Amino acid sequence: MCGIIGYTGYSQARGILLKGLKTLEYRGYDSAGIAVYHPDFNETLVTKCEGRVEKLMDKCSDVRGTAGIGHTRWATHGGVCDANSHPHKFGNVTLVHNGIIENYAAITNQLGITKKLKSQTDSEVVAALIDTYYHGDPKEAIIRAVKELSGTFGLAIMFDDIPNQLFAVRNVSPIICCQNDDGAYIASDIMAIGEYSENYFVLPELTIAHITKESIDVTDFKGNPVEPKMLTLDWDIKNSGKKGYPFYMEKEIMEQPEVITKTIESRIKDGKPDFSGEQVDDSIFTECDNITVIACGTAMHAGLIGKHIIEKICGVPVTVNMASEYMYNEPIINERTLVICVSQSGETIDTLEALKYARKRGARSLSIVNVKGSTIARESENVIYTNAGPEIAVASTKAYTTQVAVFYLICAKMAYLRGKLDEAQTADFMEELAKIPAAVQNVLDRRDEVHHLSNGLLTAEHTFMIGRGLDYPTLLEASLKLKEISYIHSEAFASGELKHGTIALITDQTPVIALLTQDFLMSKQVSNIREVQSRGANVLTFIKESLVSDHVHTSFTLPALQDDFMAIPAIIAMQLLAYYVSSDKGLDVDKPRNLAKVVTVE
Ligand code: M6R
């Protein structure tokens, strides 16, 4: 989950490392640190501290040198404190690590270094292991050491006696490399170094990068040169700041009409969905008997929307699996199973491992991913990229709605190819899909109304969200949004299920949010609202315009689309609700406590 960065070149490293760490901070913000080779002292000097990069900056004013590495941490092994912050130095070796080393305790015993360690981290042990094997040949030492590691790692390594050169190696955890006339750069994520070059590559797993001012040479563990595949950055990194918004989350919410349009438009040809741009073969949609969606958190909620529409329109059974549980539940998979992985980052380890597991058992695979060239994208047989652009706020918004948009496209494609929708019906479906951005804009234009409603949640400790049919998965996502950024306990329920136990928790202190967008479920949902109102709950109702009636009070009117397309306009209102509660509580909306944007630990 951590972010790592490295630079060697002709400029001072400090500014480049700190700027990169600021960008990487969304991957973890428990502590930060840099190590820079100081020519006067002939060694790599470490500056690090618990807390955010901002705090580190204050401690770094004296740092000099043109080569260094940096790290921003999401704590796994060892608490949040200065000593456990990276970089770690042991003997001649200084390193930063992203990942988890599972056998670090055994290695500690094997080396007999318990008393020498300064931290409780698994990462310091790796520094010690490389140092132990280092007798003048850095690559040999690194290879020997990493062969003994079990777990995941992205490592950037410096040796005191090899000035101004870096080494990098990885297993699972990503490392991106690029260079320009001013030097060479590595990072966990292209966002941190994309401003230096639009051409970059992802370091292949189990290869070593030797990074100097002028070159990045990659070799395999036998010493053979490796030519990594070059990628071109198509995100406008220079334009990726907050653009005047107080938080990235607000900016990203507001970008949704544009990015949903981008995701859909390029994939419509002659009124039909078209994946020829990404070379996704039609057979993937026709030669499967069932679909297994694998994802985590918000991405999994996108899968639940996909399940709803694909089962309804295509008649193909879809199971949606939490990636972290998938392979432990003896899933039924065969070559007629289509696995769809959904991931913004493309690096979520649970999703990645589940994908590998399913592919090994013969499943075909398609991934819906936002970050180009990410590990899940590369491990999948087929990829459809969401065109959401960089999503920085930990709480996912535009990545979610573009994932759902891709599910609509997949659904239409599958339905057409299987004869479930004819030409005219497919055109109607696509026409309704094309109306989504305007509906989203409509909700955004009335965000002040949502802001006003959010006042009702500011002092709540618990809330419930109730809905039926497609509204239920939408509320699962709405509930997650509210929980993660406002710290209000929230639970989403299929409205009819409440009375089987949970309704016991409803009091006049538990605001309830009710969503009503599905025509045929309206009367039942109104009854469920009455049930909670009778127990004293204050209910905020978000109702599709065409369903507004005298039978139930409307708190917020959602623009009307056909039922199956309401998932996106509805979640926009919920994202805004969560956002306003969090910002009005004075919380750090973009970096909620205990979380990180990219989850690379199981
Ligand atoms: O990068 P991914 O989409 O694979 O991440 C999966 C989840 O960690 C992520 O969706 C998480 O639930 C959201 N950031 C919550 O807003």
Side-chain angles (χ1 to χ4, degrees), residues 460-475:
E461 283 182 26
H462 308 276
T463 70
F464 290 94
M465 300 196 180
I466 58 172
R468 286 176 167 262
L470 188 65
D471 290 339
Y472 172 53
T474 300
L475 289 175

Side-chain angles (χ1 to χ4, degrees), residues 42 57 224 281 293 305 339 403 425 463 530:
N42 290 329
M57 284 173 163
N224 303 310
D281 195 80
V293 177
I305 305 293
V339 162
Q403 287 159 356
Q425 289 166 323
T463 70
R530 301 256 180 278

Side-chain angles (χ1 to χ4, degrees), residues 296-299 342-346 348 351 394-396 403 480-481 484 597 599:
C296 302
T298 290
V342 191
S343 177
Q344 188 285 128
S345 62
T348 303
T351 310
V394 165
S396 185
Q403 287 159 356
L480 176 63
K481 268 327 58 114
E484 68 179 327
K597 181 76 178 162
V599 182

Side-chain angles (χ1 to χ4, degrees), residues 285-394:
F285 302 113
T286 53
E287 291 176 5
C288 65
D289 297 336
N290 57 80
I291 296 175
T292 289
V293 177
I294 301 173
C296 302
T298 290
M300 186 188 66
H301 295 153
L304 291 171
I305 305 293
K307 171 186 166 73
H308 184 96
I309 54 173
I310 291 171
E311 287 189 336
K312 180 175 166 190
I313 297 171
C314 308
V316 177
V318 182
T319 55
V320 180
N321 298 268
M322 276 177 221
S324 55
E325 287 293 307
Y326 180 65
M327 53 192 174
Y328 309 113
N329 288 335
E330 303 194 18
I332 300 162
I333 323 166
N334 56 41
E335 52 295 339
R336 303 280 303 174
T337 304
L338 170 61
V339 162
I340 302 184
C341 287
V342 191
S343 177
Q344 188 285 128
S345 62
E347 302 295 345
T348 303
I349 187 92
D350 288 324
T351 310
L352 176 63
E353 291 303 320
L355 168 65
K356 288 182 182 165
Y357 177 94
R359 287 201 69 185
K360 256 192 210 145
R361 281 154 188 81
R364 300 197 66 185
S365 60
L366 167 70
S367 290
I368 302 172
V369 174
N370 194 37
V371 177
K372 306 244 153 76
S374 54
T375 314
I376 291 172
R378 283 178 291 109
E379 288 286 337
S380 292
E381 196 185 335
N382 299 279
V383 191
I384 300 176
Y385 285 111
T386 47
N387 293 331
E391 190 182 68
I392 307 296
V394 165

Side-chain angles (χ1 to χ4, degrees), residues 5 20 29 34 36 53 121 144-145 195 222 255 283 300 321 331 353 424 462 482 497 519 530 560 579:
I5 185 157
Y29 28 88
I34 59 172
V36 174
V53 176
T121 65
R144 230 180 125 185
E195 70 175 275
K222 292 191 176 125
E255 283 173 347
S283 66
M300 186 188 66
N321 298 268
E353 291 303 320
H462 308 276
L482 187 66
E497 185 63 17
D519 297 13
R530 301 256 180 278
Y579 172 75

